C-alpha cells in the first residue's frame, strides 16, 4: 500500500508560517513600519512646506511688483512706467524679472519680452510657461494685469482692450531647488528606512533574546532545576527589572516549597508520636485490659492524643484560611481594651497556678478596626507562650498604646495611626537564630523541646498580624522575651479614639507594678 502524495507537504508549510506567529517579529515589524511611515510624513511635510513657501514668495513678489508699476502708471502714464521698468531691469542682478507692456492694438511698448504669450488670456490666473533666456530653456511664472483707466470694455477676470501689463519671474532656479530638495529627501528617506530596518532587526534580537532567556529559565525550573535564575545585565534597565522580578518570584516559590517540605516533615515527625502512642495504648488495652475501667481509661487517653492531632490540623487549616484573607469580611470597628482584659481574665488563673503575676498597661479606650476573634486569638497565643516559659515569681506584661506620629497627634499624613501591642515575660528567652525562625510552623527551639505544644502559636500570630496589614517583631532581653505587634489603625477608629479617650491613658491591670520592668520594650519598633 502506498502513501498518497498529497499527505506530505503539510509540515514544511506549517513551519514556514510559524515565524509570523512570533511576538518579537510582529513587534519589530510594527516598530519599523511606524518609523518608516513617520519619516515619510515628516519629509513630505518638509517638502510641501518648502516648495509652497517658494511658490508663495514668487507670487507675493510679482503682485507687489505689479502694484508698484500700476501706481507709477497712474502717476505719470506710459513714460514713467517705461522708465520704471527699465530701472528695475537694470537693478535685477538675478536676471529673472519679466516685464511687458502692450497697447490696445497689441503693439510692444516696453519690457524684456518681445511678444504677448498667446495662452495668457485672463487676469485671475497664474501661468507657468516655457521660457528661453540667454540660450537656456527654463520655466516662467506669469500674471497679466489691466492697467487702470484705459479700458473700453471690462469683464471680471478677462483682459480688456486697453493697455495690458505682464509681470513674471523666471523660476528655473526654483525648479532646480525643487529637484534637489526632492532628491535629498528621497535619499534621506532611503537612509531612514534602512535605519528603521536595522532598528527593527536589533529590537527583534533583543526581544527574542529576552524571551528565550525567560523560556529557558522557566523550562529548566519546570524540569526540576530550582537553582536557575534570570541573568542580570547590571545597568538597571527594564530588562534587569523584569529579570529581578522573575528571580524574586522564583525565590519566593522556592521558599514556599521549602516551607511546604518543612511543614510536611514536621507533621510527619510531630504527629507520628501521638498517633503511635494512641495506637500502642489501644493495642495494650486490647491485649491486657482485664476490667472495663482499664479499657475505658486507655480509650480516653488515646482519644486525648487524637484530639491533640485534630487540634494541630485545625490550627493549620485556620492559619491557611487567615493567610488567604478569608476572614476580612468579619472586620469591624471595636474597642480593643475589653477584648484584652477578657483574655487577661482567662489567663489570670493559669498564671496564678504557676506563681506568675500578670500586669496590664492599657489606655481607657482603644478603638481598632479588625477581626475581634482573631486579635483575641493572637493575644491569647502570646500570653500562653509567655506564661509557659516564665519562671515562678516572674511577671508577664501586656501593653497596648497608640503611637503618636507627632507630639499630640495620633493620625499620620495618610489618615492612619499605629497600634503598638506587646507581651513581655521574664523567661528563658531565645537566641537570635531561634528568633529568626520562631514564626515558622512547627519550629521549636532547643530550650522548649520538652515543653508541651505544637510550634504553631507564633505562626498563627504572624498570620493574623499580616491579615491586618501589620508587622511582628521579637526582641530578647535578660531575662525574657518580648513579642511586639505594630498594627495600622484606620482613620475612622482614630476619630472615635480622639473623641472618647480621656486625657490620662494609663491604667494598671490585675497586678499593680510601678514602675514596670523592661519598659524600654514597650515601644520597640518593628523592623
Amino acid at each position: 500500500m502506498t502513501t498518497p502524495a498529497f499527505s506530505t507537504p503539510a509540515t514544511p508549510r506549517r513551519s514556514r508560517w510559524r515565524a509570523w506567529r512570533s511576538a518579537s517579529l510582529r513587534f519589530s515589524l510594527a516598530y519599523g513600519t511606524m518609523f518608516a511611515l513617520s519619516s515619510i510624513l515628516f519629509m513630505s511635510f518638509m517638502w510641501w512646506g518648502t516648495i509652497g513657501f517658494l511658490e508663495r514668495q514668487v507670487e507675493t513678489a510679482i503682485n507687489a511688483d505689479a502694484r508698484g508699476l500700476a501706481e507709477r502708471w497712474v502717476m505719470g502714464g506710459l513714460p514713467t512706467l517705461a522708465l520704471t521698468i527699465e530701472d528695475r531691469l537694470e537693478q535685477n542682478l538675478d536676471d529673472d524679472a519679466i516685464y511687458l507692456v502692450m497697447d490696445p492694438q497689441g503693439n510692444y511698448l516696453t519690457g524684456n519680452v518681445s511678444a504677448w504669450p498667446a495662452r495668457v488670456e485672463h487676469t485671475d490666473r497664474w501661468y507657468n510657461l516655457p521660457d528661453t533666456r540667454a540660450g537656456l530653456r527654463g520655466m516662467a511664472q506669469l500674471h497679466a494685469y489691466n492697467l487702470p483707466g484705459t479700458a473700453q470694455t471690462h469683464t471680471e477676470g478677462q483682459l480688456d482692450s486697453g493697455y495690458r501689463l505682464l509681470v513674471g519671474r523666471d523660476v528655473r532656479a526654483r525648479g532646480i531647488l525643487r529637484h534637489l530638495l526632492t532628491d535629498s529627501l528621497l535619499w534621506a528617506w532611503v537612509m531612514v528606512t534602512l535605519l528603521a530596518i536595522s532598528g527593527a532587526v536589533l529590537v527583534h534580537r533583543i526581544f527574542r533574546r529576552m524571551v528565550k532567556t525567560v523560556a529557558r529559565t522557566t523550562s529548566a525550573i519546570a524540569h526540576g532545576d530550582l537553582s536557575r535564575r534570570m541573568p542580570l545585565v547590571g545597568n538597571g534597565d527594564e530588562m534587569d527589572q523584569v529579570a529581578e522580578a522573575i528571580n524574586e518570584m522564583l525565590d519566593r516559590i522556592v521558599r514556599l516549597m521549602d516551607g511546604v517540605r518543612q511543614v510536611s516533615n514536621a507533621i510527619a515527625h510531630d504527629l507520628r508520636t501521638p498517633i503511635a502512642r494512641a495506637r500502642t495504648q489501644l493495642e495494650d488495652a486490647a491485649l491486657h485490659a482485664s476490667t472495663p475501667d482499664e479499657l475505658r481509661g486507655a480509650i480516653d487517653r488515646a482519644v486525648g492524643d487524637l484530639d491533640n492531632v485534630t487540634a494541630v490540623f485545625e490550627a493549620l487549616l485556620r492559619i491557611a484560611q487567615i493567610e488567604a484573607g478569608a476572614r476580612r469580611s468579619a472586620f469591624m470597628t471595636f474597642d480593643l481594651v475589653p477584648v484584652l482584659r477578657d483574655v487577661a481574665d482567662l489567663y489570670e488563673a493559669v498564671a496564678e497556678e504557676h506563681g506568675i503575676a500578670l500586669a496590664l498597661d492599657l489606655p481607657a479606650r482603644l478603638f481598632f478596626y479588625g477581626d475581634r476573634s482573631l486579635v483575641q486569638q493572637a493575644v491569647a497565643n502570646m500570653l500562653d507562650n509567655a506564661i509557659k516559659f516564665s519562671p515562678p515569681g516572674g511577671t508577664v506584661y501586656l501593653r497596648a498604646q497608640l503611637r503618636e506620629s507627632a507630639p499630640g497627634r495620633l493620625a499620620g499624613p495618610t489618615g492612619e495611626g499605629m497600634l503598638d501591642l506587646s507581651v513581655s515575660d521574664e523567661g528563658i528567652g531565645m537566641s537570635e537564630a531561634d528568633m529568626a525562625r520562631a514564626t515558622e510552623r512547627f519550629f521549636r527551639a532547643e530550650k522548649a523541646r520538652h515543653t508541651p505544644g505544637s510550634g504553631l502559636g507564633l505562626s498563627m500570630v504572624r498570620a493574623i498580624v499580616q491579615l491586618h496589614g501589620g508587622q511582628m517583631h521579637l526582641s530578647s532581653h535578660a531575662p525574657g522575651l518580648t513579642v511586639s505587634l505594630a498594627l495600622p489603625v484606620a482613620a475612622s477608629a482614630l476619630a472615635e479614639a480622639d473623641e472618647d479617650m480621656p486625657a490620662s491613658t494609663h491604667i494598671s491591670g490585675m497586678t499593680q507594678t510601678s514602675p514596670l520592668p523592661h519598659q524600654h520594650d514597650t515601644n520597640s519598633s518593628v523592623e
Side-chain angles (χ1 to χ4, degrees), residues 456-506:
L456 295 175
L458 292 181
S459 299
M460 183 171 293
V461 174
R462 184 190 62 176
I464 295 173
V465 171
Q466 291 178 348
L467 179 67
H468 287 80
Q471 291 179 307
M472 178 180 177
H473 178 66
L474 279 72
S475 59
S476 182
H477 45 80
L481 178 74
T482 297
V483 181
S484 303
L485 310 181
L487 303 172
V489 182
S492 58
L494 282 173
E496 297 184 30
D498 291 339
E499 293 176 359
D500 298 332
M501 188 179 295
S504 176
T505 59
H506 178 80

Side-chain angles (χ1 to χ4, degrees), residues 229-499:
R229 293 295 182 271
M230 289 281 295
L232 298 177
V233 179
N235 53 11
D237 59 1
E238 290 79 2
M239 294 180 62
D240 273 1
Q241 294 176 8
V242 172
E244 290 175 356
I246 294 176
N247 291 340
E248 184 178 354
M249 176 189 68
L250 295 176
D251 292 339
R252 174 66 174 168
I253 292 174
V254 171
R255 287 195 299 269
L256 291 175
M257 294 183 65
D258 290 340
V260 172
R261 190 180 300 109
Q262 293 174 3
V263 169
S264 300
N265 294 335
I267 290 176
H269 286 85
D270 292 355
L271 300 186
R272 180 175 58 185
T273 300
I275 293 176
R277 185 166 56 245
R279 182 184 183 281
T280 301
Q281 291 173 356
L282 293 176
E283 184 178 9
D284 182 71
L287 294 176
H288 303 97
S290 57
T291 63
D293 292 337
E294 292 180 358
L295 184 60
R296 186 177 296 106
I299 293 175
D300 291 340
R301 290 190 296 272
V303 169
D305 291 333
L306 295 177
D307 286 341
N308 292 333
V309 175
T310 303
V312 170
F313 280 108
E314 289 179 351
L316 289 174
L317 292 175
R318 188 174 179 83
I319 292 174
Q321 183 186 33
I322 294 172
E323 289 179 345
R327 294 295 299 266
R328 291 187 182 274
S329 59
F331 276 31
M332 59 180 297
T333 301
F334 62 94
D335 188 0
L336 185 61
V337 174
V339 175
L340 298 179
R341 291 191 176 278
D342 290 342
V343 179
D345 289 338
L346 181 64
Y347 280 90
E348 180 186 15
V350 179
E352 289 179 355
E353 290 179 1
H354 292 78
I356 298 171
L358 184 59
L360 306 182
D361 183 14
L362 305 175
R365 305 187 72 177
L366 185 57
F367 289 97
F368 181 74
Y369 181 75
D371 190 313
R372 180 194 300 266
S373 61
L374 289 183
V375 174
Q376 191 173 18
Q377 178 69 56
V379 177
N381 288 359
M382 294 163 62
L383 288 177
D384 183 74
N385 283 341
I387 294 173
K388 187 186 301 182
F389 296 108
S390 293
T395 305
V396 174
Y397 302 93
L398 173 61
R399 304 182 178 97
Q401 67 174 5
L402 284 175
R403 184 195 310 169
E404 293 185 355
S405 58
R409 180 181 177 186
L410 295 179
T414 59
E416 294 185 352
M418 293 300 295
L419 166 66
D420 289 331
L421 178 63
S422 65
V423 173
S424 304
D425 60 56
E426 299 174 349
I428 58 179
M430 298 179 70
S431 63
E432 293 292 334
D434 290 340
M435 284 190 295
R437 301 186 55 193
T439 57
E440 295 180 5
R441 299 177 190 180
F442 296 105
F443 175 77
R444 306 192 70 191
E446 289 297 330
K447 299 178 182 179
R449 281 291 177 187
H450 304 291
T451 305
S454 60
L456 295 175
L458 292 181
S459 299
M460 183 171 293
V461 174
R462 184 190 62 176
I464 295 173
V465 171
Q466 291 178 348
L467 179 67
H468 287 80
Q471 291 179 307
M472 178 180 177
H473 178 66
L474 279 72
S475 59
S476 182
H477 45 80
L481 178 74
T482 297
V483 181
S484 303
L485 310 181
L487 303 172
V489 182
S492 58
L494 282 173
E496 297 184 30
D498 291 339
E499 293 176 359

Side-chain angles (χ1 to χ4, degrees), residues 41-152:
L41 292 176
F42 175 72
M43 292 178 183
S44 299
F45 176 77
M46 287 183 58
W47 185 90
W48 177 82
T50 304
I51 299 302
F53 172 75
L54 293 176
E55 291 180 353
R56 290 190 298 272
Q57 187 179 31
V58 171
E59 293 175 0
T60 302
I62 292 175
N63 286 326
D65 207 359
R67 283 195 299 270
L69 294 175
E71 292 175 358
R72 301 297 294 176
W73 167 269
V74 173
M75 291 174 58
L78 180 59
T80 304
L81 177 61
L83 182 60
T84 303
I85 290 176
E86 291 177 1
D87 290 340
R88 293 188 178 184
L89 288 174
E90 291 178 359
Q91 297 174 6
N92 184 22
L93 300 180
D94 295 332
D95 194 23
D96 60 348
I98 298 175
Y99 300 104
L100 176 61
V101 179
M102 303 291 291
D103 62 9
Q105 290 74 31
N107 298 319
Y108 167 85
L109 296 179
T110 185
N112 58 351
V113 178
S114 59
W116 188 272
R119 293 173 55 184
V120 179
E121 299 176 350
H122 300 275
T123 60
D124 56 351
R125 299 179 186 178
W126 292 93
Y127 295 92
N128 290 311
L129 302 178
D131 179 32
T132 302
R133 300 167 61 82
L136 298 177
R137 189 172 181 83
M139 184 67 66
Q141 185 169 355
L142 306 172
H143 197 285
Y145 300 91
N146 292 314
L147 291 175
T150 64
Q152 301 299 324

Side-chain angles (χ1 to χ4, degrees), residues 480-527:
L481 178 74
T482 297
V483 181
S484 303
L485 310 181
L487 303 172
V489 182
S492 58
L494 282 173
E496 297 184 30
D498 291 339
E499 293 176 359
D500 298 332
M501 188 179 295
S504 176
T505 59
H506 178 80
I507 297 180
S508 298
M510 302 174 182
T511 302
Q512 179 70 30
T513 57
S514 179
L516 293 173
H518 313 302
Q519 186 65 33
H520 62 279
D521 294 320
T522 304
N523 298 324
S524 59
S525 61
V526 177
E527 301 293 338

